[in-house]
Amino acid sequence: MPHPPETRTVALVTLGCARNEVDSEELAGRLAADGWELVDNAAEADVAVVNTCGFVEAAKKDSVDALLEANDLKDHGRTQAVVAVGCMAERYGKELADALPEADGVLGFDDYADISDRLRTILSGGVHASHTPRDRRKLLPLAPAERQDAAVALPGHGQGPVDLPAGVAPASGPRAPLRVRIGSGPVASVKLASGCDRRCSFCAIPSFRGSFVSRRPADVLGETRWLAGQGVKEVMLVSENNTSYGKDLGDIRLLEGLLPSLAEVDGIERVRVSYLQPAEMRPGLIDVLTSTPKIAPYFDLSFQHSAPDVLRAMRRFGDTDRFLGLLEQIRAQAPEAGVRSNFIVGFPGETEADVAELERFLTAARLDAIGVFGYSDEEGTEAAGYEHKLDPDEVAERLARVSRLAEELTAQRAEERVGETLSVLVESLEEGELVGRAAHQAPETDGQVQLTSSAGLAPGMFVTAKAVGSRGVDLVAEPLDALGAAR
């Protein structure tokens, strides 16, 4: 009688954004379905799979460092192979493999459906040829309505059979999510779409993530129900651009109809939407985000700058006054709404007057969280070929200057919230103190709430609390009563 194949262990190390986290959990689902044992510690795994980020230089460096660190485990641990997946692997393919021989494999998105076979080949000493990168926008029809049936790999969209191991998918449903939770916290992301049709001159993401493709509402709902069954209390909808959701399904307002359905999922207490484009915001979407129970009045708006000339050079739209008008419209309907955004300083051709205009916007906008980045060329982007590049020292000076202002302004905004009554999701116990987030705070990117008392509370519970102080962007709050039981 033949012996059963040896169970192999795998660890997934995820870098980058929440979209990558969803992709890692889909890979985990595929591997678990094929008999792999998932472990948390790469040192205890036969294969360490590093889900890389390829967005900016700092993220690329972090990805390379993670691959090298995992490779070190081969000298004194169980680890036999280190494999790169994710955006950096997709973007550079064979070039990354040649530059980083420490990686035993570099797998692109097209390899995800066969991830188990790829890893077994690598473990057995075989070689899987790394792909030659290509512009993934060209793999899909130009017309959005024709994209749904295209046979193109879309990480995070995976649907699997129903006969998967316990914990991998629901017990029934023809299109169950092919996903395993890697973490155990009360918050999880759900991918709403993949790719982007915008052509911002500084951004390379569409070239390696492809054109915009929505997931079908039934799949998003099914995955949310499954996550609720796993103990998740808050879901965050992620994609490169959530305001475009539904454009390829025949209804650009599809998100407005989907959100109330997600809020009704038993066990889910909060739904958060991220990655919103200011130029695509609609009155109806603002209405739903500000008035639907369990939908967080939270606006992750991608402003990037506010000086008109800089925005036009970025291939974006708007200006200071239009953006302030949008914020005024939001706050007229939900004064407590949370708003965050990212900004690029030092863009080619940016003048001191442009920086002053950005500072005017930031000062008036009252944002809860602000990310500021210094411009650097990204290969393959339009802006990389622009003239009038600023000296790196000038970019660094402007970055430091605007970052200081952003830190002061977000601290002031937190102070303004003292006295507010908050609905706080308790997330973790840190040094004997319970820490959570209010509706205006997204995971990792924004501030958090430190609760003054832990009596009767535990991670996974919602508690009504009053903000009694602030520490930078963070709030200190006194619990009033618990709203939900932990799972």
Side-chain angles (χ1 to χ4, degrees):
M1 179 180 296
H3 294 289
E6 179 184 359
T7 299
R8 293 293 196 174
T9 57
V10 59
L12 287 118
V13 180
T14 306
L15 294 93
C17 64
R19 299 186 294 274
N20 255 15
E21 294 172 5
V22 175
D23 295 350
S24 285
E25 293 194 348
E26 181 189 297
L27 290 174
R30 293 183 181 278
L31 290 166
D34 202 40
W36 289 75
E37 179 184 349
L38 305 172
V39 296
D40 295 331
N41 188 348
E44 299 172 0
D46 296 315
V47 186
V49 177
V50 180
N51 193 347
T52 61
C53 180
F55 182 38
V56 293
E57 285 304 318
K60 296 175 198 174
K61 181 181 183 303
D62 288 344
S63 295
V64 170
D65 289 346
L67 287 164
L68 293 175
E69 182 178 341
N71 182 69
D72 289 341
L73 297 175
K74 291 191 289 187
D75 295 331
H76 50 264
R78 174 171 175 165
T79 308
Q80 301 172 48
V82 175
V83 175
V85 299
C87 291
M88 190 175 181
E90 173 63 38
R91 184 176 182 183
Y92 295 103
K94 187 176 184 300
E95 181 183 345
L96 176 62
D98 292 343
L100 197 69
E102 292 85 353
D104 300 284
V106 175
L107 305 181
F109 296 151
D110 292 334
D111 292 308
Y112 281 23
D114 301 307
I115 185 68
S116 180
D117 289 343
R118 300 288 186 264
L119 297 190
R120 291 186 188 280
T121 295
I122 292 168
L123 266 182
S124 65
V127 176
H128 178 71
S130 301
H131 68 286
T132 299
R134 52 185 173 169
D135 189 337
R136 294 191 71 85
R137 290 172 293 191
K138 297 179 180 179
L139 303 181
L140 287 163
L142 185 62
E146 299 175 4
R147 294 175 186 166
Q148 282 291 318
D149 297 324
V152 174
L154 298 170
H157 289 225
Q159 303 294 325
V162 299
D163 55 343
L164 298 176
V168 177
S172 62
R175 290 177 60 81
L178 187 55
R179 178 174 180 175
V180 167
R181 291 208 71 202
I182 295 176
S184 59
V187 182
S189 296
V190 174
K191 187 166 283 191
L192 197 60
S194 288
C196 186
D197 286 343
R198 300 184 71 86
R199 295 294 179 262
C200 300
S201 63
F202 56 84
C203 184
I205 290 176
S207 67
F208 55 86
R209 277 290 185 177
S211 297
F212 187 88
V213 181
S214 303
R215 292 183 72 194
R216 294 187 179 278
D219 295 341
V220 177
L221 272 167
E223 188 162 329
T224 300
R225 293 189 184 105
W226 176 74
L227 288 168
Q230 299 289 306
V232 169
K233 298 292 187 178
E234 176 181 327
V235 293
M236 183 166 73
L237 302 181
V238 299
S239 75
E240 279 73 23
N241 177 12
N242 281 334
T243 35
S244 282
Y245 180 70
K247 64 182 288 187
D248 53 324
L249 293 172
D251 185 0
I252 190 60
R253 294 175 176 79
L254 195 57
L255 183 57
E256 287 93 308
L258 176 60
L259 286 172
S261 297
L262 292 172
E264 292 174 358
V265 171
D266 187 32
I268 297 298
E269 298 296 332
R270 188 154 69 199
V271 178
R272 184 182 304 277
V273 183
S274 61
Y275 305 113
L276 301 169
Q277 290 290 340
E280 298 181 27
M281 289 300 295
R282 306 175 290 275
L285 181 55
I286 294 174
D287 289 344
V288 171
L289 289 171
T290 55
S291 64
T292 309
K294 295 188 178 182
I295 301 296
Y298 176 81
F299 293 81
D300 176 9
L301 294 164
S302 178
F303 289 122
Q304 301 298 346
H305 212 285
S306 73
D309 290 344
V310 176
L311 286 168
R312 301 306 173 268
M314 289 179 169
R315 303 297 183 199
R316 297 180 64 82
F317 305 95
D319 55 47
T320 295
D321 292 333
R322 291 184 192 179
F323 291 163
L324 291 177
L326 173 60
L327 295 177
E328 183 179 356
Q329 181 181 358
I330 290 168
R331 287 170 175 147
Q333 296 179 233
E336 77 287 359
V339 186
R340 83 166 321 274
S341 190
N342 293 325
F343 300 88
I344 298 172
V345 296
F347 195 78
E350 181 189 63
T351 65
E352 275 296 331
D354 294 328
V355 179
E357 183 68 0
L358 174 58
E359 291 172 328
R360 180 172 82 88
F361 171 70
L362 292 174
T363 302
R366 297 169 56 236
L367 304 179
D368 291 280
I370 300 171
V372 187
F373 301 89
Y375 173 82
S376 62
D377 284 338
E378 276 295 309
E379 57 190 287
T381 63
E382 180 184 356
Y386 281 1
E387 298 179 351
H388 309 298
K389 301 281 179 64
L390 275 67
D391 184 272
D393 289 340
E394 179 68 15
V395 174
E397 188 279 327
R398 292 183 181 183
L399 174 61
R401 166 179 152 193
V402 177
S403 294
R404 285 194 299 270
L405 176 63
E407 186 175 349
E408 293 172 3
L409 292 172
T410 51
Q412 289 175 14
R413 179 65 182 132
E415 289 179 4
E416 291 178 9
R417 290 194 178 274
V418 173
E420 287 187 8
T421 299
L422 312 170
S423 177
V424 179
L425 172 57
V426 182
E427 287 193 311
S428 62
L429 182 65
E430 298 179 5
E431 298 180 354
E433 296 180 334
L434 283 177
V435 175
R437 289 177 301 101
H440 70 279
Q441 298 167 319
E444 298 184 9
T445 58
D446 303 344
Q448 57 189 19
V449 177
Q450 178 185 318
L451 297 167
T452 59
S453 171
S454 61
L457 300 176
M461 297 179 69
F462 273 83
V463 60
T464 301
K466 181 177 181 180
V468 294
S470 64
R471 297 173 180 172
V473 296
D474 299 332
L475 293 174
V476 179
E478 179 180 346
L480 301 178
D481 65 89
L483 296 180
R487 292 197 180 206

